Amino acid sequence: MCGRYASTRSDSDLQAVFDIAETVGEEVPPSYNVAPTQTVRTVLQRAPKDEPESDAVRQLRSVRWGLIPSWAKDAKIGSRLINARSETITEKPSFKKAASRRRCIVPADGYYEWEKRDGAKVPYFLHTEGVLAMAGLYELWRDPTKAEDDENRWVWSVTVLTSPAADALGHIHDRSPVVLPPDLRASWLDPTVTDLGAVQEMLAAIPEPRLEPYEVSTAVNSVKNNSPELLTPV
Protein backbone atom coordinates (compact mmCIF):
# COMPACT_ATOMS: atom_id res chain seq x y z
CA MET A 1 0.00 0.00 0.00
CA CYS A 2 0.98 3.66 0.00
CA GLY A 3 0.14 5.34 3.28
CA ARG A 4 2.77 8.09 3.46
CA TYR A 5 4.82 9.94 0.89
CA ALA A 6 6.96 13.04 0.35
CA SER A 7 5.98 15.88 -1.96
CA THR A 8 8.25 18.91 -1.87
CA ARG A 9 8.27 20.30 -5.39
CA SER A 10 6.80 23.72 -6.09
CA ASP A 11 3.84 24.40 -8.36
CA SER A 12 6.21 25.84 -10.96
CA ASP A 13 8.23 22.61 -10.93
CA LEU A 14 5.11 20.48 -11.35
CA GLN A 15 3.73 22.78 -14.06
CA ALA A 16 6.88 22.20 -16.08
CA VAL A 17 7.03 18.43 -15.55
CA PHE A 18 3.37 17.77 -16.37
CA ASP A 19 2.73 20.54 -18.92
CA ILE A 20 0.03 22.16 -16.80
CA ALA A 21 -2.36 24.60 -18.49
CA GLU A 22 -4.47 25.62 -15.48
CA THR A 23 -3.65 25.74 -11.76
CA VAL A 24 -6.55 25.58 -9.29
CA GLY A 25 -6.34 26.37 -5.58
CA GLU A 26 -3.54 27.70 -3.43
CA GLU A 27 -0.09 26.14 -3.54
CA VAL A 28 0.40 23.33 -1.01
CA PRO A 29 3.49 23.73 1.22
CA PRO A 30 6.29 21.17 0.83
CA SER A 31 5.72 18.06 2.94
CA TYR A 32 8.17 15.31 3.84
CA ASN A 33 5.46 13.23 5.49
CA VAL A 34 2.18 13.46 3.60
CA ALA A 35 -0.57 11.58 5.45
CA PRO A 36 -4.14 10.50 4.58
CA THR A 37 -6.93 13.12 4.70
CA GLN A 38 -4.41 15.92 4.06
CA THR A 39 -4.66 18.27 1.08
CA VAL A 40 -2.38 17.26 -1.81
CA ARG A 41 -1.70 18.39 -5.35
CA THR A 42 -2.91 16.21 -8.21
CA VAL A 43 -2.70 16.38 -12.00
CA LEU A 44 -5.90 15.79 -13.95
CA GLN A 45 -7.57 16.71 -17.20
CA ARG A 46 -11.03 18.29 -17.50
CA ALA A 47 -12.78 21.29 -19.00
CA PRO A 48 -12.22 24.66 -17.29
CA LYS A 49 -14.82 25.43 -14.60
CA ASP A 50 -16.16 28.49 -16.44
CA GLU A 51 -16.12 26.79 -19.84
CA PRO A 52 -17.73 23.35 -19.37
CA GLU A 53 -18.22 22.87 -23.11
CA SER A 54 -14.55 23.51 -23.91
CA ASP A 55 -11.93 20.85 -24.47
CA ALA A 56 -10.32 19.36 -21.38
CA VAL A 57 -7.07 20.95 -20.22
CA ARG A 58 -4.28 19.69 -17.98
CA GLN A 59 -4.88 20.97 -14.43
CA LEU A 60 -2.88 21.07 -11.21
CA ARG A 61 -5.47 20.98 -8.44
CA SER A 62 -5.67 20.62 -4.65
CA VAL A 63 -7.66 17.63 -3.40
CA ARG A 64 -8.08 15.60 -0.24
CA TRP A 65 -6.20 12.28 0.01
CA GLY A 66 -8.75 9.55 0.66
CA LEU A 67 -11.45 9.03 -1.96
CA ILE A 68 -15.04 9.85 -1.04
CA PRO A 69 -17.46 8.13 -3.47
CA SER A 70 -20.28 10.31 -4.80
CA TRP A 71 -22.83 8.11 -3.03
CA ALA A 72 -21.18 8.32 0.42
CA LYS A 73 -23.31 9.64 3.30
CA ASP A 74 -20.36 11.42 4.90
CA ALA A 75 -16.65 12.05 4.34
CA LYS A 76 -15.41 9.52 6.91
CA ILE A 77 -15.16 6.72 4.34
CA GLY A 78 -12.31 8.60 2.67
CA SER A 79 -9.82 7.64 5.39
CA ARG A 80 -10.33 3.98 4.39
CA LEU A 81 -9.98 4.57 0.65
CA ILE A 82 -6.51 6.11 0.40
CA ASN A 83 -5.46 3.25 -1.91
CA ALA A 84 -7.26 1.24 -4.57
CA ARG A 85 -6.14 -2.12 -5.94
CA SER A 86 -5.51 -1.61 -9.65
CA GLU A 87 -6.72 -5.16 -10.36
CA THR A 88 -10.29 -4.36 -9.24
CA ILE A 89 -10.93 -0.65 -9.88
CA THR A 90 -13.11 -1.43 -12.91
CA GLU A 91 -15.34 -3.65 -10.77
CA LYS A 92 -15.59 -2.10 -7.29
CA PRO A 93 -18.53 0.33 -6.81
CA SER A 94 -16.29 2.79 -4.95
CA PHE A 95 -13.93 3.19 -7.92
CA LYS A 96 -15.68 2.04 -11.09
CA LYS A 97 -17.07 5.42 -12.23
CA ALA A 98 -13.83 7.23 -11.39
CA ALA A 99 -11.82 4.60 -13.28
CA SER A 100 -13.90 5.39 -16.35
CA ARG A 101 -13.91 9.18 -16.25
CA ARG A 102 -11.76 10.60 -13.47
CA ARG A 103 -8.19 9.32 -13.64
CA CYS A 104 -5.34 11.45 -12.34
CA ILE A 105 -1.69 11.57 -11.30
CA VAL A 106 -0.44 12.12 -7.75
CA PRO A 107 3.08 13.63 -7.93
CA ALA A 108 5.60 12.57 -5.27
CA ASP A 109 9.30 12.65 -4.53
CA GLY A 110 8.94 9.09 -3.26
CA TYR A 111 6.93 7.13 -0.71
CA TYR A 112 7.49 5.33 2.59
CA GLU A 113 6.94 1.66 3.30
CA TRP A 114 7.53 -0.46 6.37
CA GLU A 115 9.29 -3.82 6.31
CA LYS A 116 8.45 -6.36 8.99
CA ARG A 117 11.79 -7.40 10.47
CA ASP A 118 12.42 -9.33 13.69
CA GLY A 119 9.07 -8.33 15.17
CA ALA A 120 9.51 -4.65 14.31
CA LYS A 121 8.46 -2.41 11.41
CA VAL A 122 11.41 -0.74 9.69
CA PRO A 123 10.65 2.29 7.46
CA TYR A 124 12.10 2.71 3.97
CA PHE A 125 11.93 5.54 1.47
CA LEU A 126 11.42 4.42 -2.13
CA HIS A 127 12.19 6.84 -4.93
CA THR A 128 13.48 7.29 -8.46
CA GLU A 129 15.07 10.02 -10.54
CA GLY A 130 12.74 12.99 -10.96
CA VAL A 131 9.11 13.15 -9.97
CA LEU A 132 7.23 9.94 -9.17
CA ALA A 133 3.92 9.99 -11.09
CA MET A 134 1.61 7.76 -9.05
CA ALA A 135 -1.58 6.74 -10.86
CA GLY A 136 -4.74 7.79 -9.07
CA LEU A 137 -8.48 8.30 -9.31
CA TYR A 138 -10.35 11.39 -8.19
CA GLU A 139 -13.94 11.98 -7.19
CA LEU A 140 -16.33 14.84 -6.41
CA TRP A 141 -18.63 14.52 -3.40
CA ARG A 142 -21.46 16.90 -2.53
CA ASP A 143 -21.37 17.74 1.19
CA PRO A 144 -25.03 17.60 2.30
CA THR A 145 -24.33 19.78 5.34
CA LYS A 146 -23.40 22.81 3.21
CA ALA A 147 -25.76 25.24 1.51
CA GLU A 148 -26.37 25.15 -2.24
CA ASP A 149 -24.56 28.48 -2.68
CA ASP A 150 -21.54 27.47 -0.56
CA GLU A 151 -18.47 27.39 -2.81
CA ASN A 152 -16.99 24.64 -0.60
CA ARG A 153 -19.96 22.28 -0.92
CA TRP A 154 -18.04 20.06 -3.38
CA VAL A 155 -15.20 18.01 -1.89
CA TRP A 156 -12.53 16.78 -4.30
CA SER A 157 -10.71 13.63 -3.19
CA VAL A 158 -8.17 11.15 -4.54
CA THR A 159 -6.95 7.59 -4.10
CA VAL A 160 -3.58 6.12 -5.13
CA LEU A 161 -3.58 2.91 -7.16
CA THR A 162 -1.46 -0.02 -6.03
CA SER A 163 -0.31 -3.27 -7.61
CA PRO A 164 1.69 -6.31 -6.52
CA ALA A 165 5.26 -5.24 -5.75
CA ALA A 166 8.10 -6.19 -8.05
CA ASP A 167 10.43 -8.92 -6.80
CA ALA A 168 13.10 -6.35 -5.96
CA LEU A 169 10.71 -4.55 -3.60
CA GLY A 170 8.52 -7.39 -2.45
CA HIS A 171 10.68 -8.07 0.60
CA ILE A 172 9.69 -4.64 1.96
CA HIS A 173 5.97 -4.85 1.23
CA ASP A 174 3.83 -6.98 -1.07
CA ARG A 175 2.25 -3.98 -2.81
CA SER A 176 3.50 -0.71 -4.27
CA PRO A 177 1.98 2.33 -6.02
CA VAL A 178 1.30 2.15 -9.73
CA VAL A 179 3.89 4.49 -11.29
CA LEU A 180 3.21 5.96 -14.73
CA PRO A 181 6.18 6.36 -17.10
CA PRO A 182 6.20 9.61 -19.16
CA ASP A 183 4.94 7.95 -22.36
CA LEU A 184 1.76 6.61 -20.71
CA ARG A 185 0.70 9.69 -18.72
CA ALA A 186 -1.27 11.41 -21.48
CA SER A 187 -3.45 8.40 -22.23
CA TRP A 188 -4.05 7.78 -18.52
CA LEU A 189 -5.29 11.35 -18.04
CA ASP A 190 -7.37 11.44 -21.24
CA PRO A 191 -11.04 11.80 -20.10
CA THR A 192 -12.34 10.74 -23.52
CA VAL A 193 -11.13 7.19 -22.81
CA THR A 194 -14.10 5.86 -20.83
CA ASP A 195 -14.27 2.19 -21.79
CA LEU A 196 -13.33 0.09 -18.77
CA GLY A 197 -11.74 -2.54 -20.98
CA ALA A 198 -9.43 0.13 -22.37
CA VAL A 199 -8.60 1.21 -18.81
CA GLN A 200 -7.61 -2.36 -17.95
CA GLU A 201 -5.41 -2.48 -21.05
CA MET A 202 -3.68 0.72 -19.98
CA LEU A 203 -2.99 -0.72 -16.55
CA ALA A 204 -1.64 -3.94 -18.06
CA ALA A 205 0.78 -1.90 -20.20
CA ILE A 206 2.34 -0.07 -17.23
CA PRO A 207 5.78 -1.57 -16.52
CA GLU A 208 7.06 -2.37 -13.05
CA PRO A 209 8.69 0.71 -11.54
CA ARG A 210 12.43 0.84 -10.98
CA LEU A 211 12.64 2.29 -7.50
CA GLU A 212 15.57 2.69 -5.15
CA PRO A 213 14.78 1.89 -1.49
CA TYR A 214 16.81 2.91 1.53
CA GLU A 215 16.15 2.69 5.26
CA VAL A 216 15.13 5.87 7.10
CA SER A 217 14.55 6.89 10.70
CA THR A 218 11.48 5.74 12.63
CA ALA A 219 10.74 9.43 13.13
CA VAL A 220 8.57 9.13 10.03
CA ASN A 221 6.18 6.95 12.03
CA SER A 222 4.65 10.09 13.57
CA VAL A 223 2.73 12.44 11.28
CA LYS A 224 3.82 15.25 13.62
CA ASN A 225 7.34 14.94 12.23
CA ASN A 226 7.77 16.73 8.93
CA SER A 227 11.27 17.89 8.00
CA PRO A 228 13.97 17.13 5.38
CA GLU A 229 15.75 14.90 7.93
CA LEU A 230 13.06 12.27 7.36
CA LEU A 231 14.65 11.55 3.98
CA THR A 232 18.13 11.02 5.40
CA PRO A 233 19.32 7.42 4.98
CA VAL A 234 20.01 5.51 8.18
Side-chain angles (χ1 to χ4, degrees):
M1 63 174 294
C2 174
R4 300 276 186 82
Y5 67 93
S7 180
T8 66
R9 287 177 169 81
S10 66
D11 277 4
S12 59
D13 289 339
L14 297 176
Q15 288 161 358
V17 171
F18 294 104
D19 194 22
I20 300 297
E22 182 180 33
T23 300
V24 183
E26 295 184 1
E27 186 165 5
V28 177
S31 177
Y32 298 87
N33 199 1
V34 182
T37 75
Q38 293 180 351
T39 299
V40 301
R41 279 304 211 187
T42 58
V43 177
L44 54 92
Q45 203 159 304
R46 61 187 290 126
K49 179 180 179 181
D50 299 328
E51 303 174 30
E53 301 303 318
S54 300
D55 292 337
V57 298
R58 192 77 58 86
Q59 296 182 352
L60 181 65
R61 179 181 284 269
S62 295
V63 303
R64 169 177 163 157
W65 185 17
L67 189 135
I68 309 170
S70 59
W71 43 261
K73 294 182 179 179
D74 57 54
K76 294 179 181 178
I77 191 174
S79 62
R80 304 196 302 272
L81 298 179
I82 63 170
N83 292 156
R85 287 177 173 258
S86 60
E87 307 96 307
T88 57
I89 59 168
T90 59
E91 305 168 5
K92 297 289 186 180
S94 296
F95 308 118
K96 188 175 182 179
K97 288 184 178 179
S100 172
R101 300 179 181 275
R102 290 179 289 278
R103 298 179 299 275
C104 64
I105 290 172
V106 181
D109 299 345
Y111 71 99
Y112 299 99
E113 197 55 84
W114 283 259
E115 177 188 20
K116 293 181 179 178
R117 187 196 305 167
D118 300 327
K121 291 186 176 180
V122 180
Y124 282 79
F125 185 67
L126 299 93
H127 67 106
T128 186
E129 291 292 331
V131 179
L132 208 62
M134 300 188 294
L137 306 175
Y138 73 96
E139 190 59 271
L140 284 78
W141 176 72
R142 171 71 166 83
D143 188 341
T145 68
K146 297 187 182 297
E148 199 61 44
D149 59 351
D150 190 331
E151 62 179 14
N152 296 317
R153 68 187 183 281
W154 289 101
V155 179
W156 294 65
S157 60
V158 68
T159 188
V160 174
L161 304 193
T162 67
S163 62
D167 290 344
L169 304 175
H171 71 284
I172 298 175
H173 196 275
D174 61 350
R175 299 191 69 82
S176 64
V178 174
V179 178
L180 292 161
D183 61 320
L184 296 181
R185 294 172 187 174
S187 56
W188 178 255
L189 294 174
D190 187 352
T192 66
V193 178
T194 60
D195 179 73
L196 292 175
V199 174
Q200 290 176 325
E201 290 177 3
M202 280 194 286
L203 288 168
I206 298 173
E208 294 180 348
R210 295 183 177 181
L211 304 178
E212 293 293 330
Y214 61 81
E215 188 177 337
V216 294
S217 166
T218 54
V220 73
N221 294 353
S222 173
V223 296
K224 296 179 180 179
N225 297 325
N226 194 336
S227 67
E229 288 73 27
L230 294 181
L231 301 183
T232 303
V234 171

